[in-house]
Amino acid sequence: MRQRVSMTINGTNYEHEVEPRLLLVHYIREQAGLTGTHVGCDTSNCGACTIEMDGHSVKACTVFAVQANGSQLLTIEGLAQGTQLHPLQQAFWDEHGLQCGYCTPGMIMAARQLLARNPDPTEKEIRMGIEGNLCRCTGYHNIVKAIQAAAKVMGEGAERKAPATAPSARRD
Amino acid sequence: MAVSQMIGASIKRREDPQLVTGSGRFVDDLPQNAVLHLHVVRSSEPHARILAIDTIRAKEADGVVAIFTGKELREEFQAPLPVTVTFVPEKAYPEQYPIATDKVHYVGEPVALVVALSRAAAQDAAERIEVRYQALPAVTDVEKAIQKDAPVIHESLGSNLSYDVKRAGGDIEAAFKEAEVTISQRLQQQRLIPIAIETRGVVADYKPFANSLTLWSSTQIPHFVKVWLAVILGIPESQVRVIAPDVGGGFGSKIRVFPEEVLTALASRRLGRPVKWIEDREENMRATHHGRSQIWDVEIAAKRDGTVLGLRLTQWLDLGAYCSQFGTFMSLGLLVAPGPYRLAAIDGRLVGVFTNRTPTDAYRGAGRPEATYVIERVMDLVAQETGMDPADVRRRNLVTGAEQPYTSLFGFTFDSGDYVAGLERALQVAGYDDLRRRQSEARKQGRYLGIGLASYLEICGLGPAAPTQANTGVSLWGMGVVRLHFTGKATAITGSSPHGQGHETTFAQVVSAVLGIPVADVDVVHGDTGIGPMGMNTYGSRSTALDASAVHISATRVREKARKIAAHLLEAAEDDVVYEDGKAFVKGSPAKSVTIQELAMAAFQTNRLPAGMEGGLEATTFFDPTNFVWPFGTHVAVVEVDPETGKVSIERYVALDDCGTRINPMVVDGQIHGGIAQGIGQALFEEGVYGEDGQLRTGTLVDYLVPSAADLPFFQLEETITPSPVNPLGAKGIGEAGTIASTAALMNAVVDALQPFGVKDVPMPASPAKLWQLMHRNGGRKG
């Protein structure tokens, strides 16, 4: 028994008939064709599939596609503006925050949510904040550095853009 | 930055813009029209006879295209999966085919294939397959497996013993006669599950009327996979093309020709359509090989002054249910067990045993972390027994710079390096003496700091050709093509097949440095057997020392030819023409120069080439070095163990590594960071646990603990740079060094922290429960 779902991903509307058991991550990858969101486990431990759904960070393997009906989603493909990288993408590049790059999209999406909640995190807060995302290549050293660097750039940007207001949930 | 400074430049990686934007192309991301999905039905039993496989109900399921059992496919295999000699030519082992027919030997062994229109349909249908097993007793422990009454896993071998051989050097009797101190210790190397974050995956596209196969695989070894697919499936090698696209980590876990590569190709050939197989994580944890799984029994002969005279070593290797392709590579551990130390004698015994568990093969370091763990624990055990400082025991035994090139008792000659200087520098940076003072103060307050050292020496950069030919059946040279295009842009083709190491950047830096063209003008091609000659792939920290060296030599040959063309164009004698920063000119007259772009064009124009010169500007090099490379260093770990919880906190981690020339220091540091984290994972968290029933108890990432960011500190990296004399770059390997050193450094720190409790050894992983028990047994603290 298939169900019709409709959702907006990175500003584009998608509509499909899907099986109720279809995981959102598979919908994003196979129906919407956005393969930047990866699958690294079956138990929601690795975080490679982290995306943003209605302003909240979710692991897209823990959500059924039908549960995302009517939602606004943001995936890694939606971060850059044309060829202008998001400050986190730029910082991961600058700081060598990735090696094989498989965990990277999820890691960046998790970091984005972390900085939205806590624009100026300590090292420990960063480490705790990305605890749900596993990387096997970097030892996290340069990932933490990259998030620190991005926080700095985004903080400066936010001050320039809106000095009088509190940081909003979506800061980019 | 001037291109001549490209060697040693921490430029940003060219790989990254794709990867940070989600535009990478991993196997599961490849666009495929009309691809069918393969699901592999796997054995739920560790040891059983297959009585029957009922597929009737599954064949009727929605979306099913075909179902195959092992018996139906067996005749298609013209050869078994490959097994290499790797240090133990005496071994007995069974042939392994990609799918079981009569008997299963471990949980996860393939027994049937379902091909369907979607992955979900294939999985649904698989649930309808009924495999009837006659269970046989399973054995999961190496020592039990070689007892007389143990169930025999492969009847054709008559027992579960693959080999029991001696490897000895020096006079061990004399060493023990001279000994003032003898110590016996059993050291555990627990079973590890590699966990690349991308599981394995394969897409196979067989074209029946062309008898050709293109196969994309998440592999470290596309060139070997190509050869073996041709051999096993009987397709001409020229008709097989294997491509490793973006690969999401390897760490050794993608180093062998896997059953699923053959099975996916076979399904495509049977059906004449492209077929995709993507491993899920639970499957990965059972079907992709495991690492380590060894026991080392150690007897130490030493003197009161800390001199280690000799070792009796038995290395028990759990091969798992089959001998994997490089399944006995880890025996290398015994041969390099002396590490960077002067050691007069080793009496070694290698015992390889089959058990009903997932086969073991290379995992980051493969034999060398085990060897380093043993010798570094030996140094600390001697320190503990003699009351010496562990640093002094190392000082006493390390090979000095003056003794280089030193030849070890198993005949390996080290290439270069002052190991003592490395140790002293690491101790100085860590503030070792101050740490010892702090430790002593802390103990008075009931706090338990531990300081652990590990001085490692790693053999890597596999080749050279002759010893690797003897051990693997192929000569592991480096391969590099450098080709200049008409417009002066370059393509470098490497035989290495990276999966995160950054070759597209670092190899371009090498070409840039030699030819004086921008990095952006150099494209680096890898991991595609359809382009360029056969390469020897990526493992054993070999890529820079071998393949980047081959690229370097090819680029140099291209430059020399370009210089000859320049001499012709400048109407000068060849010896008078110099080449600098992408231009050739007559010595002393740089104003009148010819650029490499002009020379590249001239190479394709007969009217501009010297008479008799062949056209084109490219070179191919198979590079065979004169020796292995031997990176080394000392790592210092500082931990605190909480006596209330047994939890280990890593307070500080200092790593001094010498890997010779660093082409891109930023990339080198990244390799070290990741390596350290993986070694810490073994020390503190990871263990592949089986029940006596042969079932994997840690079969998901819920149960198998991979370190997270919250478990680790920043790492402080230091270096010395001793170029290797055996390759033109002076580079040594760095892919595995972090892992090789960090497990030993961490565990030495943990044991050191627990000295007041009379603890001499802690079996890994040093979990809170285990440490709490050690700290609270028999009334707690002793000293």
Side-chain angles (χ1 to χ4, degrees):
Chain A
M1 191 180 51
R2 295 166 83 84
Q3 290 186 23
R4 187 141 203 94
V5 293
S6 161
M7 64 192 85
T8 304
I9 310 178
N10 307 330
T12 302
N13 191 52
Y14 294 85
E15 274 192 51
H16 290 94
E17 297 268 334
V18 301
E19 283 190 68
R21 65 175 174 171
L22 182 71
L23 296 176
L24 180 58
V25 66
H26 292 136
Y27 180 85
I28 292 168
R29 291 179 51 81
E30 286 150 29
Q31 310 291 321
L34 297 167
T35 55
T37 302
H38 297 150
V39 180
C41 70
D42 343 285
T43 47
S44 76
N45 288 86
C46 81
C49 65
T50 306
I51 62 157
E52 209 168 279
M53 177 166 148
D54 298 327
H56 296 284
S57 207
V58 297
K59 291 181 176 177
C61 71
T62 63
V63 179
F64 291 113
V66 292
Q67 290 175 290
N69 190 29
S71 288
Q72 297 275 340
L73 309 186
L74 182 70
T75 70
I76 189 71
E77 289 92 342
L79 284 196
Q81 306 289 325
T83 55
Q84 178 69 42
L85 297 179
H86 182 279
L88 271 163
Q89 292 172 317
Q90 184 67 44
F92 270 67
W93 188 17
D94 293 346
E95 300 292 329
H96 188 29
L98 62 149
Q99 290 178 26
C100 81
Y102 195 79
C103 76
T104 310
M107 197 65 85
I108 288 177
M109 294 306 290
R112 185 181 176 283
Q113 185 68 211
L114 164 70
L115 295 183
R117 291 177 198 197
N118 182 358
D120 188 20
T122 62
E123 180 203 335
K124 188 166 183 200
E125 287 168 340
I126 292 172
R127 290 186 181 278
M128 297 306 288
I130 57 168
E131 195 186 27
N133 291 68
L134 297 178
C135 169
R136 199 62 156 159
C137 294
T138 64
Y140 307 98
H141 184 106
N142 287 341
I143 290 178
V144 177
K145 295 235 158 179
I147 296 171
Q148 288 175 327
K152 195 152 176 279
V153 169
M154 290 163 75
E156 285 162 6
E159 278 161 32
R160 267 204 308 279
K161 273 185 208 156
T165 57
S168 65
R170 297 190 52 170
R171 301 177 65 253
D172 48 331
Chain B
M1 190 179 298
V3 285
S4 55
Q5 294 163 355
M6 267 301 139
I7 295 201
S10 287
I11 62 167
K12 291 195 285 177
R13 297 201 322 170
R14 312 163 73 194
E15 290 88 340
D16 293 358
Q18 293 275 330
L19 296 168
V20 297
T21 53
S23 323
R25 281 286 172 268
F26 298 90
V27 169
D28 198 20
D29 304 338
L30 298 169
Q32 281 288 338
N33 292 326
V35 66
L36 299 174
H37 297 263
L38 169 66
H39 177 80
V40 180
V41 180
R42 297 180 183 280
S43 172
S44 58
E45 301 298 312
H47 194 196
R49 279 184 215 296
I50 300 172
L51 299 179
I53 302 179
D54 182 351
T55 60
I56 292 171
R57 283 183 61 243
K59 279 180 177 153
E60 292 164 353
D62 285 345
V64 168
V65 175
I67 291 178
F68 305 109
T69 63
K71 281 203 169 126
E72 290 162 349
L73 298 176
R74 185 57 172 262
E75 65 190 26
E76 302 221 30
F77 304 120
Q78 300 191 8
L81 292 165
V83 175
T84 61
V85 171
T86 44
F87 308 111
V88 195
E90 308 95 325
K91 67 191 166 201
Y93 61 92
E95 290 186 338
Q96 183 188 3
Y97 286 88
I99 185 165
T101 49
D102 302 318
K103 223 185 132 181
V104 290
H105 310 83
Y106 66 99
V107 171
E109 185 166 4
V111 294
L113 308 181
V114 182
V115 185
L117 296 176
S118 72
R119 196 171 171 194
Q123 286 175 353
D124 284 347
E127 305 236 324
R128 296 174 165 216
I129 291 179
E130 283 173 34
V131 185
R132 279 208 297 128
Y133 295 107
Q134 178 194 12
L136 298 169
V139 60
T140 57
D141 177 286
V142 288
E143 287 173 301
K144 286 183 187 157
I146 53 170
Q147 285 168 4
K148 284 214 159 48
D149 57 349
V152 175
I153 299 168
H154 300 285
E155 285 93 346
S156 61
L157 304 182
S159 84
N160 297 320
L161 184 70
S162 175
Y163 55 90
D164 184 348
V165 295
K166 286 271 189 197
R167 296 288 184 269
D171 186 346
I172 196 69
E173 300 304 330
F176 273 85
K177 199 174 276 176
E178 194 188 341
E180 295 157 359
V181 175
T182 59
I183 307 164
S184 295
Q185 182 66 51
R186 167 162 281 203
L187 298 168
Q188 302 276 357
Q189 281 285 333
Q190 78 272 36
R191 184 172 268 258
L192 299 180
I193 307 183
I195 315 287
I197 304 295
E198 183 205 25
T199 58
R200 290 181 299 124
V202 180
V203 174
D205 188 4
Y206 178 81
K207 302 284 188 217
F209 295 103
N211 188 25
S212 74
L213 172 69
T214 305
L215 183 129
W216 292 261
S217 179
S218 181
T219 179
Q220 299 174 221
I221 54 156
H223 296 277
F224 292 166
V225 172
K226 177 200 68 170
V227 172
W228 286 100
L229 284 175
V231 170
I232 295 171
L233 294 175
I235 304 170
E237 189 186 339
S238 52
Q239 300 294 93
V240 181
R241 179 178 180 185
V242 176
I243 301 167
D246 285 332
V247 173
F251 317 112
S253 75
K254 298 170 182 174
I255 200 181
R256 68 170 294 199
V257 177
F258 274 99
E260 295 83 0
E261 287 164 328
V262 180
L263 295 172
T264 311
L266 190 48
S268 178
R269 181 162 79 178
R270 277 286 185 106
L271 299 168
R273 292 171 65 178
V275 175
K276 179 193 266 196
W277 170 76
I278 301 295
E279 188 179 51
D280 67 31
R281 179 59 67 189
E282 272 193 54
E283 196 178 15
N284 169 268
M285 295 182 79
R286 291 162 179 79
T288 296
H289 64 248
H290 293 172
R292 312 285 192 264
S293 210
Q294 295 160 34
I295 301 167
W296 289 65
D297 286 321
V298 184
E299 281 179 64
I300 308 166
K303 296 208 296 191
R304 284 259 154 235
D305 68 0
T307 306
V308 179
L309 299 165
L311 299 175
R312 288 201 182 99
L313 297 173
T314 301
Q315 184 184 5
W316 300 85
L317 298 103
D318 169 12
L319 300 173
Y322 290 97
C323 186
S324 183
Q325 186 167 1
F326 302 99
T328 54
F329 186 89
M330 280 52 71
S331 305
L332 171 64
L334 188 91
L335 305 179
V336 295
Y341 302 102
R342 234 179 282 110
L343 203 64
I346 282 189
D347 181 29
R349 181 180 165 206
L350 297 167
V351 189
V353 179
F354 295 108
T355 61
N356 291 110
R357 309 204 277 187
T358 295
T360 53
D361 202 312
Y363 172 60
R364 203 168 190 170
R368 292 150 295 168
E370 296 94 314
T372 302
Y373 185 74
V374 166
I375 197 68
E376 288 306 305
R377 290 293 302 118
V378 164
M379 291 296 145
D380 271 31
L381 285 163
V382 170
Q384 203 169 7
E385 189 68 27
T386 58
M388 288 175 71
D389 187 293
D392 288 332
V393 177
R394 288 172 174 80
R395 287 184 180 111
R396 171 79 56 195
N397 291 287
L398 278 171
V399 169
T400 64
E403 291 170 278
Q404 294 281 30
Y406 181 89
T407 299
S408 80
L409 58 87
F410 284 114
F412 293 113
T413 300
F414 308 156
D415 61 346
S416 63
D418 187 338
Y419 310 146
V420 182
L423 168 71
E424 298 297 351
R425 175 95 184 110
L427 295 175
Q428 184 201 348
V429 170
Y432 184 72
D433 295 338
D434 187 48
L435 285 171
R436 285 287 173 210
R437 274 192 295 276
R438 274 185 50 212
Q439 177 184 43
S440 150
E441 285 303 311
R443 275 183 190 164
K444 288 178 198 155
Q445 300 157 17
R447 289 176 52 214
Y448 301 98
L449 292 187
I451 304 150
L453 305 180
S455 293
Y456 72 94
L457 173 66
E458 175 190 356
I459 178 174
C460 67
L462 320 173
T468 54
Q469 173 71 47
N471 274 294
T472 66
V474 281
S475 302
L476 301 180
W477 40 50
M479 192 287 288
V481 176
V482 173
R483 175 178 299 154
L484 256 68
H485 301 284
F486 193 75
T487 58
K489 310 292 181 194
T491 293
I493 307 170
T494 167
S496 182
S497 190
H499 30 281
Q501 296 92 334
H503 295 6
E504 289 175 28
T505 306
T506 53
F507 285 33
Q509 287 177 255
V510 170
V511 175
S512 168
V514 176
L515 292 179
I517 59 176
V519 164
D521 284 0
V522 187
D523 186 34
V524 177
V525 177
H526 54 76
D528 184 343
T529 67
I531 303 171
M534 179 160 173
M536 296 303 159
N537 310 295
T538 295
Y539 41 79
S541 303
R542 65 185 302 280
S543 298
T544 308
L546 284 130
D547 291 280
S549 290
V551 165
H552 184 274
I553 295 165
S554 286
T556 305
R557 290 167 59 197
V558 161
R559 188 183 66 196
E560 285 311 296
K561 184 171 178 185
R563 211 171 56 81
K564 285 192 172 73
I565 300 171
H568 175 69
L569 294 177
L570 293 166
E571 297 176 354
E574 209 182 295
D575 289 348
D576 294 339
V577 175
V578 291
Y579 187 103
E580 276 176 26
D581 282 339
K583 293 189 198 80
F585 50 88
V586 176
K587 228 177 287 176
S589 313
K592 195 187 167 208
S593 64
V594 212
T595 65
I596 184 67
Q597 289 79 14
E598 293 169 89
L599 293 168
M601 193 179 290
F604 293 97
Q605 297 170 316
T606 53
N607 58 340
R608 301 177 74 197
L609 280 176
M613 183 183 274
E614 201 178 340
L617 198 49
E618 72 174 78
T620 299
T621 301
F622 287 84
F623 171 61
D624 182 12
T626 51
N627 190 358
F628 300 97
V629 290
W630 301 82
F632 64 94
T634 294
H635 289 204
V636 183
V638 184
V639 304
E640 180 165 355
V641 184
D642 184 340
E644 298 299 317
T645 62
K647 186 177 183 327
V648 177
S649 307
I650 306 169
E651 188 180 294
R652 209 156 151 227
Y653 197 97
V654 176
L656 177 133
D657 295 279
D658 189 326
C659 62
T661 305
R662 298 175 173 214
I663 293 168
N664 185 322
M666 177 193 77
V667 168
V668 168
D669 286 352
Q671 291 294 307
I672 298 169
H673 294 150
I676 292 170
Q678 256 172 333
I680 291 174
Q682 172 170 19
L684 298 185
F685 305 111
E686 300 180 32
E687 183 171 23
V689 178
Y690 278 79
E692 281 191 25
D693 59 1
Q695 294 292 337
L696 180 64
R697 294 281 189 264
T698 53
T700 71
L701 290 179
V702 177
D703 322 285
Y704 187 89
L705 301 182
V706 170
S708 81
D711 299 317
L712 300 169
F714 280 130
F715 310 117
Q716 186 180 349
L717 306 189
E718 295 291 330
E719 65 188 31
T720 56
I721 294 179
T722 313
S724 173
V726 308
N727 63 66
L729 291 165
K732 305 185 180 189
I734 198 62
E736 298 160 293
T739 308
I740 287 169
S742 68
T743 305
L746 240 292
M747 290 309 297
N748 277 342
V750 168
V751 176
D752 186 52
L754 268 53
Q755 286 233 10
F757 299 89
V759 171
K760 294 195 168 160
D761 188 65
V762 177
M764 296 186 286
S767 64
K770 207 179 278 173
L771 297 188
W772 190 91
Q773 280 168 357
L774 285 169
M775 294 171 100
H776 292 266
R777 66 184 174 173
N778 309 329
R781 189 166 163 167
K782 307 289 179 294

